[in-house]
Amino acid sequence: MKFGKSVCIINVGGTKYAFPKDVIKDFPLRRVSRLHSCASEREVLEVCDDYDRERNEFFFDRHSEAFGFIMLYVKYGKLRFVPHMCELSFYNEMIYWGLESSHMEFCCQRRLDDRMSDTYTHFTEEHHKTADEFRTEESTTGKRDSKWLERMRRTFEEPTSSLAAQILASVSVIFVIVSMVILCASTLPDWKTAESNIVEEHRIIEAVCIGWFTAECIVRFIVSRDKCEFVRRPLNIIDLLAITPYYISVTMTVLTGENSQLQRAGVTLRVLRMMRIFWVIKLARHFLGLQTLGLTLRRCYREMVMLLVFICVAMAIFGALAQLLEHGLDLESGNEEYASIPAACWWVIISMTTVGYGDMYPITVPGRVLGGLCVVSGIVLLALPITFIYHSFVQCYHELKFRSARCTRSLSAEFLN
């Protein structure tokens, strides 16, 4: 902080907390840490409700008891609900100070999810700002973009932010669907015959779709605030992977022509062509379900890794035992489908997931007993991390639903105006 004394006083609903200025800079609560970057009293009042320059005291008109429990999280790393306080009210306080439901203990997270499922509620826009939105505010204070550029950015990045953004998103979805239909139809056996008779209309449509996607990607790159951050985003990387193969295919066709070199490169071209299936993931920008799935996978990567570890350990154990019981004990009359542990691991994975293709199965009594144990253990092992993943999915769904409802209300106001 560029003003005030070396000790800062945080007054929350009448309860005061004193902190050194250096502690404020890296404070775990995002709203409190924002005070350190404030350069004027006007900016301070955007973060807190009142400020006393003589005492260097920041006043927040919030629930003091709830903030006391939040301070226990800051001190001990454990966040629980305040007794006899509404879960949604406490969650509202958490969002105000910059915390999420993922910071809470597991039992309290379940209580919050149950309450959210029973009562659909909307939080105010100020209280429901995410970390990205706070970073956006901080960047805009130092760098003021023009109004039209900001509107263009929101139109392309947030499909529900305005009526124009919804129209643009609808057109983009139509192009994605058309591109996928053409890609699927091009693999039909009769497509080559029809292709020679219809003057290759599908190539024109394909070029128009790719042109739209390219123009959209370029515009979004131009209007983005941070170009490096734009390139690192997963959806933007997928867009680039889906656009590039088309231009590579066109370039190779122009350079080689319809000759033997192109025939030798046919496999490469088909691989590049199929990479356009990544456009399906582009629909995640416009559908809440796909966004929820992606956010859940990102937050539950530890549980996913744990699930993969469970499966790999079970495959190693049951695969070795299956190979031993079905082939290793009797090399002459053993089951040839279990001649190696990798082959047995294939049987283990389809048994644990209860798929059961029937392409290979045990024929000995010990092998069948082992198969039964493999199926039962697979059900148990796969079910263990599912609870955590389901809990995170519900949480992510509610967060994105609240955000979408907030944008819908702003869209309705814009339409009425």
Side-chain angles (χ1 to χ4, degrees):
M1 197 180 307
K2 300 179 181 179
F3 60 94
K5 303 176 183 179
S6 60
V7 177
C8 302
I9 300 176
I10 307 297
N11 187 336
V12 182
T15 304
K16 299 181 180 181
Y17 303 85
F19 303 100
K21 188 168 61 175
D22 296 336
V23 174
I24 294 293
K25 179 180 179 181
D26 300 321
F27 206 75
L29 302 182
R30 192 161 50 244
R31 182 171 288 272
V32 177
S33 62
R34 289 173 60 196
L35 295 172
H36 188 274
S37 59
C38 296
S40 63
E41 187 171 345
R42 182 182 60 84
E43 295 182 4
V44 171
L45 293 178
E46 293 178 358
V47 180
C48 62
D49 297 305
D50 198 5
Y51 172 65
D52 188 345
R53 178 180 292 272
E54 295 181 359
R55 300 180 181 178
N56 199 26
E57 180 176 334
F58 305 90
F59 177 74
F60 295 88
D61 188 13
R62 307 300 301 184
H63 197 287
S64 59
E65 186 177 3
F67 185 75
F69 273 72
I70 292 176
M71 287 300 298
L72 292 178
Y73 164 75
V74 174
K75 186 175 182 180
Y76 300 107
K78 294 183 179 181
L79 180 60
R80 294 185 175 91
F81 282 122
V82 178
H84 311 297
M85 183 177 181
C86 176
E87 291 86 353
L88 297 179
S89 298
F90 185 73
Y91 184 50
N92 201 356
E93 295 292 323
M94 291 169 48
I95 294 175
Y96 177 83
W97 294 108
L99 297 178
E100 299 178 358
S101 58
S102 58
H103 295 97
M104 305 183 68
E105 294 297 299
F106 179 70
C107 57
C108 295
Q109 289 183 5
R110 291 198 302 176
R111 284 178 54 189
L112 180 61
D113 289 340
D114 294 339
R115 185 59 185 269
M116 283 184 170
S117 300
D118 296 336
T119 305
Y120 182 78
T121 183
H122 298 285
F123 295 101
T124 61
E125 182 175 1
E126 179 186 3
H127 295 173
H128 197 73
K129 290 178 179 178
T130 59
D132 293 336
E133 291 172 328
F134 278 117
R135 287 195 296 266
T136 299
E137 288 185 353
E138 293 176 359
S139 62
T140 53
T141 55
K143 181 181 178 181
R144 299 291 182 179
D145 295 333
S146 59
K147 187 175 181 180
W148 71 269
L149 186 60
E150 178 65 23
R151 180 170 295 182
M152 283 281 293
R153 183 182 299 113
R154 290 178 58 86
T155 300
F156 280 89
E157 294 291 345
E158 303 178 11
T160 58
S161 61
S162 63
L163 183 61
Q166 283 199 349
I167 296 176
L168 188 67
S170 301
V171 174
S172 181
V173 170
I174 292 175
F175 274 107
V176 171
I177 295 175
V178 171
S179 179
M180 291 300 100
V181 170
I182 293 179
L183 178 62
C184 296
S186 64
T187 59
L188 295 174
D190 299 334
W191 184 259
K192 294 297 181 181
T193 304
E195 184 180 21
S196 59
N197 297 331
I198 308 179
V199 198
E200 300 182 350
E201 288 90 347
H202 72 284
R203 293 196 177 184
I204 299 177
I205 299 176
E206 180 182 3
V208 172
C209 293
I210 295 297
W212 170 267
F213 298 145
T214 305
E216 182 184 13
C217 189
I218 292 175
V219 172
R220 291 177 54 249
F221 177 78
I222 294 175
V223 301
S224 62
R225 291 191 181 92
D226 190 348
K227 302 299 188 293
C228 296
E229 179 65 22
F230 178 87
V231 175
R232 289 195 297 265
R233 291 179 182 175
L235 287 179
N236 297 332
I237 295 176
I238 292 173
D239 291 347
L240 184 61
L241 292 177
I243 293 174
T244 305
Y246 175 80
Y247 293 103
I248 295 178
S249 302
V250 172
T251 303
M252 294 181 64
T253 303
V254 172
L255 295 178
T256 59
E258 300 294 336
N259 52 27
S260 59
Q261 294 182 6
L262 182 61
Q263 297 297 328
R264 289 194 296 269
V267 177
T268 304
L269 292 178
R270 286 193 294 271
V271 172
L272 294 175
R273 185 181 181 86
M274 283 302 169
M275 287 182 65
R276 284 181 297 161
I277 200 65
F278 287 121
W279 281 120
V280 176
I281 306 179
K282 184 180 177 65
L283 297 176
R285 298 183 185 274
H286 315 294
F287 292 98
L288 183 64
L290 293 176
Q291 295 176 14
T292 305
L293 177 61
L295 185 58
T296 303
L297 294 177
R298 187 177 68 179
R299 292 186 177 180
C300 295
Y301 70 94
R302 293 186 181 88
E303 288 77 9
M304 298 299 296
V305 171
M306 181 172 59
L307 180 61
L308 293 176
V309 170
F310 287 169
I311 294 176
C312 292
V313 171
M315 285 176 59
I317 296 175
F318 286 106
L321 293 177
Q323 193 275 338
L324 176 64
L325 296 177
E326 291 293 315
H327 185 78
L329 297 179
D330 191 352
L331 299 178
E332 296 181 357
S333 61
N335 192 344
E336 294 298 331
E337 295 178 347
Y338 293 82
S340 64
I341 292 180
C345 287
W346 165 251
W347 168 79
V348 171
I349 189 64
I350 63 175
S351 298
M352 291 182 62
T353 55
T354 65
V355 176
Y357 291 117
D359 55 345
M360 56 187 301
Y361 51 87
I363 58 177
T364 63
V365 175
R368 292 178 178 177
V369 173
L370 180 67
L373 295 175
C374 179
V375 172
V376 173
S377 63
I379 296 175
V380 174
L381 292 178
L382 293 177
L384 289 177
I386 295 301
T387 303
F388 301 97
I389 298 175
Y390 166 76
H391 166 75
S392 181
F393 182 86
V394 173
Q395 171 190 330
C396 295
Y397 175 75
H398 283 296
E399 291 181 6
L400 294 177
K401 195 173 183 179
F402 294 153
R403 191 181 307 170
S404 177
R406 196 171 64 249
C407 293
T408 302
R409 290 199 302 274
S410 63
L411 173 62
S412 302
E414 178 182 349
F415 181 76
L416 293 176
N417 293 331

